Amino acid sequence: MAGVGLDLMDIERLERALERRPRLADRLFSAAEREYAASRARPGQHLAARFCAKEAVTKALALDVLRPLEIEVAHGPAGEPRAVLSGAAAQRAEELGVEVSLSLTHTASTAGAVAVAVAR
């Protein structure tokens, strides 16, 4: 294992930020992530979990700064979350020789994610 990242977030905090600045979602989430969240009963809950995943991946890869559009949360064949990396995030994973596994969770008020960078 090369690294572990964990992040938690108050869902209402993100919902308020997105209400105040609607274009913020475009800077933080891919079109596919926004579309997935929009299909759910409470989109902010799912966006918050994805934001936590992006932060957790940043920590697991020991990146110097969050690059949210370089870390996308997609779904694997069984519906499991998986990290799709591009740009500096993909380059760092390649340097470390790792793949990143994700786990997402949320309650009514809090979202969270864990990212584990494991050797290929």
Side-chain angles (χ1 to χ4, degrees):
M1 177 172 58
V4 175
L6 168 70
D7 197 63
L8 298 171
M9 170 180 260
D10 178 70
I11 295 167
E12 286 185 15
R13 179 177 175 212
L14 180 65
E15 289 172 331
R16 285 191 306 270
L18 292 172
E19 283 177 22
R20 284 191 311 271
R21 295 174 291 192
R23 297 177 69 189
L24 178 62
D26 296 338
R27 294 189 356 236
L28 297 177
F29 305 103
S30 70
E33 289 171 320
R34 294 189 313 270
E35 184 178 309
Y36 172 82
S39 74
R40 314 312 274 178
R42 186 177 176 196
Q45 193 175 46
H46 298 276
L47 291 175
R50 277 148 185 76
F51 186 81
C52 289
K54 294 167 187 279
E55 287 278 9
V57 170
T58 297
K59 294 170 185 174
L61 295 177
L63 291 169
D64 58 342
V65 65
L66 172 66
R67 295 175 175 91
L69 295 179
E70 293 182 6
I71 303 166
E72 181 178 14
V73 178
H75 297 279
E80 74 280 7
R82 62 181 190 90
V84 178
L85 307 177
S86 62
Q91 182 178 350
R92 179 66 174 155
E94 185 66 31
E95 288 170 5
L96 295 172
V98 299
E99 293 179 353
V100 179
S101 294
L102 291 176
S103 180
L104 310 180
T105 191
H106 53 73
T107 66
S109 62
T110 305
V114 174
V116 180
V118 295
R120 288 186 212 149

